[in-house]
């Protein structure tokens, strides 16, 4: 399923792929699994290590972002329309051909654990998470933080994340949304992933 919004005011293209692999799909003992997987996928992909992927993105002025949510993960690229095809190829690599290098997992894990530790010092986040746990904790997949808890993130293995990728990315499909001017190849490129 895909959407395209045309705008003649921008020479920018933004393509987002929304994958139904959010926190609600995390097993009880692996809270934060989908968020960690999404970040892990963006480290190295399509035969490129982390530095090569960053260099490829920088060379065409493309920003790659990941936003994990409770119901889905949004992985997107923002670029000039003239670089849309190359950016879309990188996005497809991230979604379909991540490298899953062990060193990359440890780096992503450290960053995630730091974010989890930081939220403990933010009263508004502590209150929000306590409210979510109280209101939704009885519903599987709903009562835990999207990033999970430190113990679950620390215990997650590369093999678990690779298996999860195969189960969720390969099997569930995704929605594609984009905006560009001119439409460029967004419509034909969308068929590659969806």
């Amino acid at each position: 399923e895909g959407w395209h919004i045309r705008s003649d005011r921008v020479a920018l293209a933004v393509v987002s792929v929304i994958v139904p692999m959010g926190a609600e799909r995390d097993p009880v003992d692996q809270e934060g699994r989908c968020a960690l997987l999404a970040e892990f996928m963006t480290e190295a992909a399509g035969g490129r290590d982390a530095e090569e992927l960053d260099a490829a993105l920088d060379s065409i002025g493309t920003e790659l972002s990941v936003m994990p949510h409770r119901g889905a993960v949004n992985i997107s690229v923002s670029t000039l329309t003239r670089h849309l095809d190359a950016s879309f190829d990188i996005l497809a690599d991230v979604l379909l051909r991540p490298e899953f290098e062990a060193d990359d997992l440890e780096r992503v894990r450290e960053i995630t654990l730091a974010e989890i530790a930081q939220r403990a010092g933010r009263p508004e986040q502590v209150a929000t998470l306590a409210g979510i746990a109280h209101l939704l904790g009885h519903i599987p997949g709903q009562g835990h933080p999207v990033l999970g808890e430190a113990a679950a993130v620390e215990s997650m293995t590369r093999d678990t994340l690779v298996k999860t990728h195969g189960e969720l990315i390969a099997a569930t499909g995704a929605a594609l949304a984009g905006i560009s001017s001119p439409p460029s190849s967004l419509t034909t490129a969308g068929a590659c992933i969806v």
Side-chain angles (χ1 to χ4, degrees):
E1 191 172 342
W3 301 272
H4 179 257
I5 302 166
R6 183 185 171 134
S7 171
D8 293 326
R9 296 180 183 204
V10 294
L12 180 71
V14 179
V15 177
S16 293
V17 178
I18 299 92
V19 184
M21 57 173 256
E24 65 188 19
R25 291 183 180 254
D26 292 341
V28 172
D29 59 341
Q30 295 180 356
E31 291 91 349
R33 180 184 70 169
C34 288
L36 189 65
L37 171 61
E39 292 291 345
F40 190 22
M41 289 167 52
T42 65
E43 288 296 303
R48 297 178 184 102
D49 65 20
E51 287 183 12
E52 293 167 335
L53 185 59
D54 284 344
L57 291 164
D58 288 346
S59 73
I60 55 174
T62 295
E63 180 182 344
L64 174 68
S65 66
V66 175
M67 293 181 292
H69 301 283
R70 190 152 306 284
V73 170
N74 178 355
I75 302 176
S76 63
V77 290
S78 300
T79 191
L80 296 175
T81 54
R82 68 177 178 259
H83 298 303
L84 181 58
D85 289 341
S87 297
F88 199 90
D89 288 344
I90 292 171
L91 180 61
D93 283 341
V94 165
L95 287 165
L96 304 174
R97 293 172 287 283
E99 296 296 322
F100 294 127
E101 297 294 332
D103 290 345
D104 295 333
L105 174 57
E106 292 315 311
R107 184 174 46 256
V108 169
R109 187 189 319 270
E110 286 178 25
I111 292 167
T112 302
L113 289 170
E115 290 176 12
I116 290 170
Q118 286 177 353
R119 82 175 172 224
R122 296 184 182 137
E124 70 281 358
Q125 285 191 352
V126 172
T128 298
L129 292 175
I132 289 171
H134 177 74
L135 293 172
L136 302 175
H138 66 285
I139 303 170
Q142 296 297 316
H144 68 276
V146 171
L147 292 181
E149 298 293 348
V153 171
E154 288 170 350
S155 69
M156 246 165 281
T157 67
R158 178 191 172 280
D159 291 343
T160 296
L161 295 173
V162 170
K163 181 180 177 190
T164 301
H165 177 267
E167 292 169 354
L168 296 180
I169 298 289
T172 59
L176 177 84
I179 182 169
S180 70
S181 173
S184 199
S185 62
L186 186 60
T187 305
T188 56
C192 298
I193 288 183
V194 178

